[in-house]
Amino acid sequence: MAKIELPDVKDIFLEYRKMQLLYQSALKEIGTKLEILNDEFKFVHKYNPIEHIESRMKSEESIVRKLMKKGQDITVENIERYIDDVAGIRVICSFTPDIYRIVDMISNQDDIEVVRTKDYMVNPKPSGYRSYHMIVKVPIFLSDTVVPTRVEIQIRTVAMDFWASLEHKIYYKYDGHAPEYIRTELRECAEMISFLDSKMLAINEEIHSLKQDDMR
Ligand code: GTP
Ligand code: MG
């Protein structure tokens, strides 16, 4: 039997694994930074702005789908060039002002470069989706080099997160083609969520000012 010459793909796998290592490290760096900020805030203000943090690496299937959608070849170089959210971290806050607090605290760190921000609270998506998105670069110190590595940070309230997870599930069922009346209803739900957020914030501020009056 003739021996088949295999192409030398070892380098590609090695390059891909190195890229994964960088993104995983970036998730750890950003996760730790957020935990430190939350701990310090809790210490100073007796209040934690972060309810919880989730992080994930984009699946290989989603990476390939996204590159194909963008009409790009499937190469490690193109993943780095065209995909912003290989490493993704989601920060769930209690109240809307907490979101901007986190954004400011992250942006003010000297080693973080903010590449892009999208404020979907000021400008909700047509679906009704609300959140604050940041693409940042964090330096990863390897044995012989420093590699600035991109992470997508999504920051939202518990209520916005509730809406986004359920909307995502419903949309998934319809394979992205939900009928118009369903989309309208989901948009209406997003409005209600937004109302709930402002109502909860008002209650919290009211309680806070009552407490301060008590102390006087
Ligand atoms: P992508 O190609 O999806 O990354 O779009 P983009 O590069 O314009 O990024 P965008 O800032 O819109 O953020 C995309 C991410 O935000 C998605 O992967 C979701 O996690 C989230 N997202 C954006 N729009 C919606 C929405 O309508 N519903 C839900 N549930 N999530 C959304
Ligand atoms: Mg994106």
Side-chain angles (χ1 to χ4, degrees):
M1 203 168 66
K3 193 165 176 269
I4 301 168
E5 263 313 308
L6 286 175
D8 188 12
V9 289
K10 226 170 55 214
D11 283 355
I12 299 174
F13 284 113
L14 212 64
E15 218 189 320
Y16 181 72
R17 286 218 300 274
K18 186 166 180 191
M19 184 205 79
Q20 272 191 315
L21 177 86
L22 281 172
Y23 285 116
Q24 273 156 359
S25 309
L27 280 182
K28 284 189 201 158
E29 290 281 0
I30 298 287
T32 304
K33 279 175 181 295
L34 287 163
E35 277 170 29
I36 292 172
L37 290 172
N38 196 37
D39 288 348
E40 189 217 9
F41 210 86
K42 206 154 53 179
F43 181 72
V44 176
H45 303 284
K46 312 265 181 294
Y47 164 75
N48 52 327
I50 298 176
E51 290 277 331
H52 66 274
I53 298 172
E54 294 163 13
S55 64
R56 67 103 183 90
M57 287 283 289
K58 200 174 189 72
S59 72
E60 283 159 22
E61 189 188 323
S62 304
I63 290 176
V64 170
R65 269 181 207 281
K66 205 160 183 174
L67 278 180
M68 284 169 68
K69 212 169 110 189
K70 288 175 185 265
Q72 299 299 332
D73 293 339
I74 316 297
T75 64
V76 174
E77 205 190 354
N78 280 349
I79 297 175
E80 283 165 346
R81 185 177 303 164
Y82 295 107
I83 302 190
D84 283 334
D85 62 342
V86 176
I89 196 154
R90 191 170 284 157
V91 188
I92 316 296
C93 298
S94 318
F95 301 101
T96 38
D98 297 330
I99 295 174
Y100 293 106
R101 266 183 207 126
I102 300 291
V103 172
D104 286 345
M105 291 193 285
I106 286 283
S107 312
N108 286 336
Q109 302 216 349
D110 281 349
D111 56 345
I112 288 192
E113 180 197 338
V114 178
V115 179
R116 201 171 46 251
T117 61
K118 287 185 196 164
D119 189 339
Y120 292 130
M121 290 184 299
V122 171
N123 300 303
K125 287 212 152 184
S127 60
Y129 177 78
R130 285 164 172 81
S131 278
Y132 194 100
H133 289 191
M134 303 175 88
I135 306 291
V136 301
K137 273 187 191 167
V138 61
I140 300 301
F141 291 82
L142 299 178
S143 56
D144 53 352
T145 58
V146 182
V147 188
T149 306
R150 261 184 298 181
V151 177
E152 180 184 75
I153 311 178
Q154 298 181 349
I155 314 168
R156 52 171 81 141
T157 62
V158 198
M160 292 172 197
D161 190 52
F162 159 78
W163 182 91
S165 341
L166 297 196
E167 189 260 5
H168 180 75
K169 269 188 197 155
I170 294 169
Y171 237 73
Y172 200 78
K173 274 191 199 124
Y174 282 104
D175 208 16
H177 302 286
E180 187 54 42
Y181 79 95
I182 297 278
R183 279 190 271 170
T184 305
E185 293 208 278
L186 285 169
R187 250 192 320 268
E188 282 168 14
C189 288
E191 299 293 329
M192 288 186 225
I193 290 288
S194 179
F195 174 75
L196 271 183
D197 262 336
S198 48
K199 187 127 179 119
M200 286 303 228
L201 176 64
I203 296 171
N204 190 50
E205 282 172 349
E206 173 77 23
I207 290 172
H208 214 74
S209 65
L210 283 177
K211 261 196 196 156
Q212 274 173 346
D213 284 349
D214 280 353
M215 284 192 293
R216 280 204 190 103

